[in-house]
Amino acid sequence: MTLEQDVARHYTTAGLLDRIDAALRAAGADPDHPSFDDFKPVDEFHTGGIEATTHLLDQLDITPDMVVADLGCGLGGTARHIVHRYGATVHGVDLTGAFVETGRTINARLGLDARITLETGSVLDLPLADGSADLAVMFHVGMNIDDKDRLFAEAARILKPGACFALFDVMRDEGDDDLAYPLPWSGQPGISHVEAPGRYRRAAHAAGFDEVNETERRHFALDYFARVSRKISVDGLPPLGIHLLMGDTAGQKIENYVANTEARRIAPVEMIFRRGAS
């Protein structure tokens, strides 16, 4: 199988929408008449959830007339947040068909399907026209991408001159020893391509981007998971959460993520780049 097929298989879980609906009911929500916030515990599948999403996006100037490309959109949580908070139109692309189909259903239930398009596809071969996007965002996707140069080249291709590419990825920190697996993005090293921030910068510059800002969020991540752990120890595991996307090894994946972060092998990092004018 190709790397992309292996990645899609890693994230694919059977009966995802049915399990989300059951969890919504257990949480006291009506899946057929949901609110925007009902899905937040499960549809922001990255470190820090909605807190991290808001932290990155609020650094950008997003307006209702913009078209935003969400690279590796997952269930479409970030896309819905962009539409709900900023009023922009979003085109999301993700390898995992189950995520895309579930996201489309959620969008329809929330009445957002006219503002959000979700497609199954690769961020290395985006189904978007040249210069069609005013902004590109990416949350926790690069860890599964070996060809960072192609990633940034595709982002540059679809963006208008002067537009930004904002991302939040898990990257290599100071330690260079092997990572402990499984992790949320990989059960084994074969589909994990965690790289240092410098690798992203080189790929970005080669594609014609200038760096606007970079922020390591290691302490935020450790604090976030500590807060989540304390809440679970008191209230138990909530019915709805990202554990629904990680299968039976969800707990071990999060434990290894935290251990690797504490050991300074990895850290989540925000980066914002701007495409050159030419």
Side-chain angles (χ1 to χ4, degrees), residues 261-276:
T261 304
E262 289 175 336
R264 302 214 66 130
R265 301 183 191 107
I266 56 174
V269 178
E270 291 177 345
M271 287 181 161
I272 301 173
F273 299 96
R274 189 179 303 279
R275 186 185 182 277

Side-chain angles (χ1 to χ4, degrees), residues 4 14 20 46 93 152 207 266:
E4 290 188 338
I20 289 175
H46 49 259
V93 178
F152 277 90
I266 56 174

Side-chain angles (χ1 to χ4, degrees), residues 63-69 89 126 128-136 152-165 207-210 273-278:
T63 57
D65 61 322
M66 292 175 68
V67 174
V68 180
T89 298
L126 290 165
L128 296 169
D130 294 1
S132 60
D134 300 286
L135 170 68
F152 277 90
E154 272 296 276
R157 180 185 66 77
I158 67 164
L159 285 172
K160 296 175 182 177
C164 285
F165 179 24
F209 286 101
D210 297 315
F273 299 96
R274 189 179 303 279
R275 186 185 182 277
S278 60

Side-chain angles (χ1 to χ4, degrees), residues 48-268:
I50 189 60
E51 293 179 47
T53 304
T54 302
H55 189 273
L56 180 61
L57 296 184
D58 279 357
Q59 299 173 59
L60 308 168
D61 184 18
I62 307 176
T63 57
D65 61 322
M66 292 175 68
V67 174
V68 180
D70 185 1
L71 311 189
C73 62
L75 296 177
T78 297
R80 287 186 284 277
H81 179 76
I82 290 171
V83 172
H84 183 78
R85 186 180 180 96
Y86 307 101
T89 298
V90 184
H91 194 127
V93 178
D94 198 278
L95 280 178
T96 306
F99 283 177
V100 170
E101 290 302 322
T102 301
R104 287 173 176 167
T105 299
I106 294 172
N107 291 341
R109 290 179 184 177
L110 293 172
L112 298 176
D113 46 342
R115 302 299 300 276
I116 303 172
T117 301
L118 302 183
E119 284 191 67
T120 302
S122 168
V123 300
L124 301 182
D125 187 18
L126 290 165
L128 296 169
D130 294 1
S132 60
D134 300 286
L135 170 68
V137 298
M138 187 177 79
F139 286 81
H140 283 28
V141 176
M143 302 95 70
N144 290 121
I145 296 175
D146 184 25
D147 193 347
K148 302 289 195 294
D149 293 314
R150 178 75 175 272
L151 166 66
F152 277 90
E154 272 296 276
R157 180 185 66 77
I158 67 164
L159 285 172
K160 296 175 182 177
C164 285
F165 179 24
L167 61 92
F168 182 48
D169 261 0
V170 178
M171 303 186 190
R172 270 290 186 176
D173 199 355
E174 297 175 354
D176 59 1
D177 50 327
D178 292 341
L179 302 182
Y181 290 91
L183 289 160
W185 61 89
S186 178
Q188 39 78 29
I191 62 172
S192 181
H193 296 281
V194 181
E195 304 259 12
R199 179 69 184 93
Y200 284 73
R201 291 187 216 110
R202 291 191 298 274
H205 294 158
F209 286 101
D210 297 315
E211 188 170 15
V212 175
N213 191 46
E214 180 178 325
T215 307
E216 185 197 84
R217 305 217 67 202
R218 176 178 179 271
H219 293 296
F220 163 73
L222 293 175
D223 175 72
Y224 174 80
F225 285 118
R227 284 186 280 126
V228 170
S229 179
R230 287 194 296 270
K231 184 172 178 56
I232 291 174
S233 68
V234 174
D235 301 331
L237 191 68
L240 188 67
I242 61 171
H243 56 277
L244 295 180
L245 309 178
M246 293 188 284
D248 296 337
T249 59
Q252 186 181 2
K253 288 171 180 173
I254 296 300
E255 287 178 7
N256 286 339
Y257 182 112
V258 172
N260 284 317
T261 304
E262 289 175 336
R264 302 214 66 130
R265 301 183 191 107
I266 56 174

